[in-house]
Structure formats: structure tokens, C-alpha cells
Amino acid sequence: MMRTEDVLAASRTGVWVWDQARGVGVLDATAAALFGLDAAPTTLSQAAIRSRIPIQDWMEMQRVAVLEQSEGRVAECEFRVVDDTGRVLRTLRVRLNRVVGEGLVGTLVEVPSFAEREGPEHERPGGFDWDWERAREAFVLEAGQALSEASTPQEVLREAAALAMPGFSPDGIAIYSREGDRLWLAEYHGTPIDTSGLNFPMDISARYPAAEVLRTGRAVYLSTPEEYAERYPRYWPVIAQYHRSSWAYLPLVVAGRLIGSWLVAFTHPVDFTLENRAMLSTLARLLAQALSRTFLQDTERELAADLQHTMRPSPRPVVPGMQVAARYVPTGGGLRVGGDWYDVIPLPSGRVALVIGDVQGHDVRAAAVMAQLRIALRAYASEGHRPDAVLSRASRFLAGLTGGDAAGDDPRFATCLYLEVDPPTGTLDVARAGHLDPGMVLTDGRLLTRPTAGGLPLGVGGMEGAGGDYPTTRLNLQPGEILLLCTDGLVETGHRDLDVGWARLGRALRGLSGMELGDLADALIESVQEPTAEIPGHAVTATTALARADRDDIALVLLRRPAGVAGEPSEPSGVPGVPGVPGVSSRVRRLVLVVGQSEPAKIAEARRELTAMLHEWVDAERVFGAVLMLSELLANVLRHTDGDALLVAELSGQPGDRLLRIEVSDPSDQLPHLREPGELASSGRGLLLMDSLCDAWGSAPRGMGKTTWFELHERQPAEDEGSGT
């Protein structure tokens, strides 16, 4: 049986692979022979390949490659292969079959030329000079596009080193810079050379071509080795050992300022005609602009990095008795600096405050406002204020700082989530100012969002109106569970809505909840790079270069309460000042929610939260019954009393044998009682429903009101257990 490579070789079909990472093409023996090389496997640089293909054909190949990558289907085109003089050797057809990693795999086969297929009258001249003017224009256009897309000085130089066409294939390029009175070799690409004999840095007054260019601002062209040896005899012995034939040294000028000089060296003789010099001068201007732009971007990135480094807290914050990990990822565009931040603040009470927030904007102004707001929050927290008071004061501070109380030039607002952690018990007191709700990763890896009461973003409403109510919600972090705080860049990046973003994070967390916390934070950050998976009811958004550029800053804080840690809450209730709720054990999940008389929509929120709490229960009917009874109790409070409803739900016990206890408290002292409603009665059936669905229920006076409760086992209890009030 013949091998595939033997079949391809027998049919004169070559195989080549373009390695995007290294910028080289790998040719098998047949493909090398078709390129006019020895019939042996070989690797060619991009410049070497381009030097054998007319520039028009090269640009056509690039267009076909882009089409193949964007549409994911086989594409093909034809191109000519020429020798060093520009004479056409043959015409090849290339098929781009598939993408491997970041590279392309294709086949090459010789085909009749265009003239052979269409007739002699359509023959294109075989010599290189036949369309030199068109080739030069196309070459400059393609070079400008390549240099404009480079984002770092190193990428600019790599693109410049890859520029080649028949008759113009440099063997090496170099960039020289001036610092004071010294000339430096800033960068070199090409055949390896030893520059020690040139004694860099050299004096700018030295009789060396690059130094002369920087002194005079005029280009130096050396067409032959003899000309080089005559004009620069001191350095010729060092240069001669590399067997080059022609050199061009050109000034790099941006906005009238000389920023360096550019060397282009050739192993073959080049006649620097007026047209050649004009092309090189144009390339030098494009190269200078690209280098200036990327040097500025590098400076801006360094500035942004320094700003973020000085304004962020320690990358390894500490919460005693708990594990914590935090990450900050700047935006992909602009100065890579913005208004997202996080902080970990030790409090006088022995507790620890976690803060995460986002100042409006993605500029240095946003970063400066963020720094001042972070300092103010730290000061208010260190004074011992409760979470709601901290946010109220911070809101007034921000309004005064950015002109939010008047027609300020640049008013800003900020979202913020502030919570106090009691490490021994896992108690979390949360206040929220327009920010995302916290998430909680349960011990089975399931991610739940924990709705919390919130107020307006900080700084909204001016000095007098800002600092309104920021109600506090109490949560409890059980041993083994992870608290997740983040800014919207982690959830909504790529124009996703909140539901799609939280679903993506939930998928990313599956099976990873036991991972080391720092690695888990990195995995969540990396999930932003992935395309949006298909989610019923939501559009699918592909990750593209444009989407990556649109990404927002990301701040992320993870807090884990180690498994095996148990304790009693610092107060006996899920809400401060409400006594009588049993203490928390390592097997308890707790839900606390206040439903106000003016907030009937929160009943639906309570149903969702309870359903999420019981997500592991196998019996869907018992889950449905629990949700139905909860809805009935809350609706009764809003309908029959004048006060708010306080919900405390606790799930305790071992999986498979757990007990759900739900308590709903209200300010009325009238206890409910079972009765037989008439056929036309509009009420009175709720307790009958609860009596038939739950395992036990009852009511009792409490403070200035009462509490109605019911219990439900994960499994149906035995008949003789009965129920009671």
C-alpha cells in the first residue's frame, strides 16, 4: 500500500505549511522543487518566499488566506514563481485546505500559464521589468498596511524584515538610534552578524554610514562593495566578512524630527535608481511613523502599568481564617487604565471589609477618581461605620469631588459593592450601590447569584441628594462555599447580557470549585476569551478581534471559607435585631430576604432563590410545594398586614435527608388558624394548602408581631411521624 506522501510526490503535488507563530513556510521536497529550489524538505522565511512571488500574486494569496480563515472552507488561487532576475519559471495553483492552530496547510501543483490557456495574445512579459511600476506601487501599499497593523516596535521591525519582492529581498535590516552624542544599534533582523567589531555605542561623529545619516539627515546609498570600502575604509573589514553587495542607509523622520536611521542590506547588487530610491524613501517614512506610534504606545502602557500598580492594593490580600484571591485585568484598548478597583480593609471591630467598584469611564481621569474614592472608602471604613453609612459618605464625597452637585466639567459616578466579613462565622453584611449582585459558588460547584438590596450609584444626586439609603443585606458563607465579587467586565464583556454572562461563569466553574483559589480566579478570567456558547433564548456572539478590543476592565475577588470550619453567627438572626433564628452549622444553607409592602415583585425573587437553594432535591414535587407555600405566606403578609415580611429559610442536614425550615415574620399579632372556608369565600384556603403539603407547620408570637413557619423534609417522612403545629 502506497503512502499518501508517495501518491502526492508521484502526481507532482507539493505540500506546504505556513507557521504563523514563527513566520516561516515549511515545504516538502516536491514543493521546494516547484519553487525552483533543491528537491529536499526546506524551511523558508516569509521574506524568502516573497522574493520568489510577484507582489500582485502575493497580495492575492493573502486575500484568499483571509477568506479561507473567515469562512472555514477550501479556497484556492494561482501564482507565479520567478527567479532572481524576475523571469517567470512556472505557474502554481495553491489550495488552502485547513487551519492547524495558527497556521495554514495547503497543496501546490503546477498548471499551464495564463497565456497557454488563453492564447499568446494574453501572454504577460516574463522579465521582471515588465510591470515594475505597478509592482512597486502594490509593494508600498502592502508594506504600509502591514506596518500600520503592528502594535509594538518589535512587530514593526519583524514586518519590515519580511518585506520582500522579486528584485528586492533584503538580507538584513537594522535600526540605529541616537542618545546624546552616541550612536546605538537599537534592533537588527536578518542573517546573524557579529557587531562587536563596530564598537557600539560609537561616537556620533564617527565616519560610519548610519552616524552620517543621523548627523546630516540625508540618505547614504552604497551600490557596490568597492564603493563601501572607498567611502568607509575603517569599517569595511568588519562589513566585508558578510559578503553583501549593496547597502542603503535612510533617515527616519517623523513630523520633521529625526528619530533614527534604517539600514537595508542586500546580498545581490542593487542599482539605486531614482525609482528605487523613491520607493525606499517612502518605506522609510512609513517605518518611522510606525515606530513613533508604537514607541508612544509602549510609553503609555508603561505609564498605565505604573498608575495601576500604585493605585491597586496588594495582589495577595489577607482575610484571617479565610482564603482570598483577587485579580485585576485592564481593558484591551486606550491607555489600558480605567476605574475598576477592589480593596481589602481590616476594620476596628476585628472584621474585614471587601470592596469592589467601577468608576465611570476608561481614561486617566477615571483612574484618578478611583484612587481618591478608594482612599475615602478606606478612611470611612476605618472609622468603624456600618456598610450603609460608608456608602452614604462615599457618595457625598464623590458628588463633591467630580461636580455632581453642579454643572461640573466632568461629573462621574461609580458603582460599588461593600461588605463586612465576620471570618469566624462566615457572616456577610452587604451594602450595594448600583453594582452587580454577589455570586456564591456552592460546595457542589453550582454558581448562584445572591440578590441584595441596593441603592443608587455613588455620586448620583449631588451633594444633598447623594448618600441616600443603602440597605444592608445579611448573607452567610458556609464552609467550603466561595463568595464571588466582580465588575461587569467579567460578566458583560462581548456585549453579553447579564443572564448569558452569569451562565458562562457557571459553566466555567463546573468541576473546578475545589481548585486552588488563585487558579480558579485565573480560570474565570480566561473564560472571558472564549466565544459565547449557545444558550436557549440568547443570541450567539463569536469572539472576534473587534470584540476583544471592546472588552471592559475586570476586577475579581474570590473569598472561600475553608471546609470544616463551623461557628455561631455574631447575632442570633439572619437580620440584625431579629432574635430566635437557630444558629448556623457547617451543614446549613440560609436565605434571608425582606419583602416590603411596596415590593410585591420580590415574592418572585424569593421563589427563585428558594428554588436555587433546593436545586439538589431529586423530588421536583416537594420543591414545587415548598415554593408554593412560601409564595402563599409572603402574599398573606402583604395582603393582610400593614408591615413588611421577613423571610428566613434554612436548609440543614446530610444530602438525601435534609430538612427545610422556612419562617416568615410580620408585625401583626393576630395568629393564623385553620378554618373551613365557604364555597364562595375569597380567602382561608392557604393554611389548608400548607397543612396538606408540608411535614409540620405552626405560628408563634415574636416581639411586636408573629412568625409563621413550616418544615419540609427532602424525603417523605414515615406515616407515623405525622405533622403538628
Side-chain angles (χ1 to χ4, degrees), residues 302-461:
E302 291 178 5
L303 171 62
D306 289 343
L307 279 172
Q308 293 292 355
H309 179 73
T310 56
M311 291 186 295
R312 290 203 313 269
S314 168
R316 295 184 178 179
V318 176
V319 177
M322 290 192 174
Q323 302 166 1
V324 61
R327 296 289 185 270
Y328 175 78
V329 180
T331 182
L335 281 179
R336 294 178 60 85
V337 62
D340 291 28
W341 90 96
Y342 66 86
D343 208 347
V344 179
I345 309 169
L347 301 177
S349 63
R351 293 185 168 195
V352 177
L354 299 183
V355 189
I356 193 164
D358 183 3
V359 174
Q360 172 198 12
H362 300 91
D363 51 21
V364 174
R365 170 66 171 160
V369 171
M370 176 268 285
Q372 296 176 80
L373 179 59
R374 174 175 164 253
I375 293 171
L377 279 163
R378 206 167 236 279
Y380 296 141
S382 298
E383 289 175 355
H385 298 292
R386 295 282 298 170
D388 55 339
V390 170
L391 292 189
S392 295
R393 285 165 169 76
S395 185
R396 287 193 293 271
F397 170 83
L398 183 58
L401 177 68
T402 64
D405 58 336
D409 293 334
D410 189 16
R412 299 288 177 111
F413 66 85
T415 65
C416 182
L417 185 70
Y418 179 98
L419 62 87
E420 285 188 9
V421 184
D422 184 22
T425 64
T427 300
L428 311 172
D429 290 331
V430 185
R432 186 169 60 87
H435 200 78
L436 297 178
D437 282 309
M440 197 165 287
V441 185
L442 305 182
T443 53
D444 61 359
R446 181 181 175 91
L447 173 64
L448 302 177
T449 56
R450 300 306 304 267
T452 56
L456 293 173
L458 304 181
V460 174

Side-chain angles (χ1 to χ4, degrees), residues 157 172-176 185-189 193 208 248-250 252 261-265 287:
L157 294 175
I173 69 167
I175 300 295
Y176 300 91
L185 177 61
E187 194 67 47
Y188 172 82
H189 283 272
I193 60 174
Y208 180 69
Y249 293 84
L250 297 104
L252 298 174
S261 61
W262 175 39
L263 162 65
V264 190
L287 179 61

